[in-house]
Amino acid sequence: GDPTAFFPARLHERLCDSGLAIRSLNYGEGGRDSFDVAMGGPPLFAAAPPRVVILYLGVNDLLTRDSPLTRQQRADTLAKRSQATGALDALGSRSRLFTGLGLLVRPQADPVLVQAVPLADAEVNVRSIVAAATGAGGKVLLVPELTRAAERAEVQGYADMLARLAGELSGTTLVDARTAIGPGLDDLMTDRNHLSAEGGDALAAAMEGAVRAALEATP
């Protein structure tokens, strides 16, 4: 209920207090994953070219399991369904006898739920976001999302992927906030992945130097 407690606001305040004049925009929203950002980021970057983009990702991609289909599979299914509906509408408009379509399906057992955005899909999304941001003239900070120690193993592959991409993609920098904050991280969490106000300030402090360097490297 207090946006000023989250790390974007804390980071903005730190940078402004040090004498920088910047405008910060926080597009984070509960439940968003890399699929959402890959869809919404490119038009946003084109409309408002960024100097620095911070991608704080991981938990919603890997730990969200609410469907038997991944986000990409759901999007593909929806696109095919839209095409099929369009074809049926066209057929109906040409035929006076066309009255409807019935489908008979067998009952199925409870489906197995999968990761919303598996690691391979997440890498495709991150590459797309980075390409759009750097293509618009910005620098990108890749920040693996923080979790409590109990969930660390589940998201470590994501952190490794972001570290690898930071070494491959020009215009990107990895911020290892977990190492910067140190062993007291669990005490700064309110649940498995949400930070307290003190945690938000600690994360902002871990990012500050990299953001400053990225700002200085862009016109």
Side-chain angles (χ1 to χ4, degrees), residues 118-153:
L119 198 56
D121 289 1
E123 179 170 341
V124 172
N125 294 337
V126 173
R127 286 182 179 274
S128 173
I129 298 163
V130 169
T134 57
K139 302 291 184 181
V140 180
L141 302 188
L142 301 178
V143 188
E145 189 169 355
L146 298 173
T147 67
R148 284 180 171 168
E151 285 77 31
R152 183 175 181 180

Side-chain angles (χ1 to χ4, degrees), residues 77-87:
T77 299
L78 183 60
K80 292 177 181 177
R81 186 176 299 163
S82 296
Q83 292 175 356
T85 300

Side-chain angles (χ1 to χ4, degrees), residues 91-159:
L91 177 61
S93 67
R94 294 193 300 267
S95 174
R96 296 179 180 178
L97 299 178
F98 184 81
T99 57
L101 175 66
L103 296 178
L104 298 177
V105 296
R106 295 178 180 176
Q108 296 182 346
D110 291 339
V112 176
L113 304 183
V114 300
Q115 293 172 328
V117 187
L119 198 56
D121 289 1
E123 179 170 341
V124 172
N125 294 337
V126 173
R127 286 182 179 274
S128 173
I129 298 163
V130 169
T134 57
K139 302 291 184 181
V140 180
L141 302 188
L142 301 178
V143 188
E145 189 169 355
L146 298 173
T147 67
R148 284 180 171 168
E151 285 77 31
R152 183 175 181 180
E154 294 183 80
V155 297
Q156 186 58 47
Y158 207 102

Side-chain angles (χ1 to χ4, degrees), residues 8 11-16 19-24 51 211 215:
L11 178 60
H12 179 93
E13 184 175 341
R14 281 175 167 272
L15 293 169
C16 290
L20 290 176
I22 59 171
R23 182 184 182 205
S24 299
R51 291 180 65 189
V211 173
L215 287 169

